[in-house]
Amino acid sequence: MYDLGLLVASCALLGCVVGFLAGLLGIGGGLIIVPVLSTLLLSFDVTSPSHVLVVAIATSLASILFTSTSSALAHHKNDNVPWEIAPWVMSGVALGALISGFAASLIPEQILRTVFAISVVFIAARMVLSTRKKAVVEQPLPAGPILGAISALMGGLSGLIGIGGGALIVPMLNYFSVDIKKAIGCAAACGIVIALFGSIGYISAGWQVTDLEHGFAGFVYLPALFGIVITSWFVAPIGAKATHYLPVNTIKKVFAVLLVVIALKMVFS
């Protein structure tokens, strides 16, 4: 039997790192949670290698439910959530995330690793490019149903790799002429929906595979979820304040390189 206390403490430390980076760089915690938690779960022999990535992704999504709620409330108070388009975007990501929760359990683990790695490399590249000032040719916002369909793809991919979706939704909305602050606010609200419906999918899909007696709610591992949330919730504001004192653009470039290394390790390990 593994040391549950040590595992929770390790996840709490992970939550500190994730919370700080989320506040500092505005990135979703799933990019770090999924690979690190996968390693922890295998080290403590919590689950089999065939299920470890799905469990890590499901637990990551469940943790994002808490952090996204805090962020979305703050953006709503600052009037940064564009409610005239948010229902279309949120409906789309909800459908995509729900489907991803069921689909992930059916996808072979190596393919899931490859999808995660490719997505991480894309996000890392965008992170580096975002530090450069460049002219952007903006496009008009599409009709509601089309926006919802595009959002469903964003929500599906986000749910499949265990992230809140900000790294995909913000550039999508910004491309369609939505103000960057409004895009971030909408993405924060969508993070709640992606995490909620994605978690429902992962819990339902894993209910016959795992059991509550060993700490699982479907594919969500509750002790790890507890450890991550109790620290990330409180550390994120510290990271946000640190943006005034640290060279964020330089840190983004270093972090992007780290993400690429993590992605390659996941594919070839």
Side-chain angles (χ1 to χ4, degrees), residues 141-245:
L141 196 68
I146 296 176
L147 182 61
I150 298 172
S151 299
L153 294 175
M154 300 295 103
L157 181 56
S158 299
L160 202 60
I161 63 178
I163 66 173
L168 301 174
I169 295 170
V170 171
M172 177 196 77
L173 292 177
N174 197 222
Y175 175 79
F176 288 130
S177 308
V178 178
D179 175 74
I180 187 65
K181 290 184 179 180
K182 298 287 187 180
I184 293 172
C186 188
C190 287
I192 301 174
V193 178
I194 290 172
L196 176 61
F197 283 86
S199 296
I200 290 173
Y202 280 103
I203 290 172
S204 301
W207 203 255
Q208 302 299 322
V209 181
T210 62
D211 61 85
L212 194 60
E213 182 182 350
H214 290 92
F216 288 90
F219 283 123
V220 176
Y221 185 55
L222 298 177
L225 173 64
F226 174 75
I228 293 168
V229 169
I230 58 172
T231 52
S232 62
W233 179 281
F234 298 104
V235 176
I238 299 175
K241 291 181 180 179
T243 58
H244 300 292
Y245 309 102

Side-chain angles (χ1 to χ4, degrees), residues 106-129:
L106 304 175
I107 298 174
E109 199 238 359
Q110 187 57 42
I111 293 179
L112 195 57
R113 282 177 176 269
T114 303
V115 171
F116 182 88
I118 292 173
S119 302
V120 167
V121 170
F122 167 79
I123 292 168
R126 181 188 166 271
M127 192 177 297
V128 172
L129 294 174

Side-chain angles (χ1 to χ4, degrees), residues 19-60:
F20 184 78
L21 288 175
L24 180 67
L25 304 179
I27 54 96
L31 297 175
I32 293 295
I33 292 175
V34 173
V36 175
L37 185 56
S38 295
T39 301
L40 285 175
L41 294 175
L42 286 177
S43 298
F44 284 89
D45 198 25
V46 174
T47 186
S48 65
S50 60
H51 287 140
V52 67
L53 189 58
V54 175
V55 170
I57 290 172
T59 306
S60 172

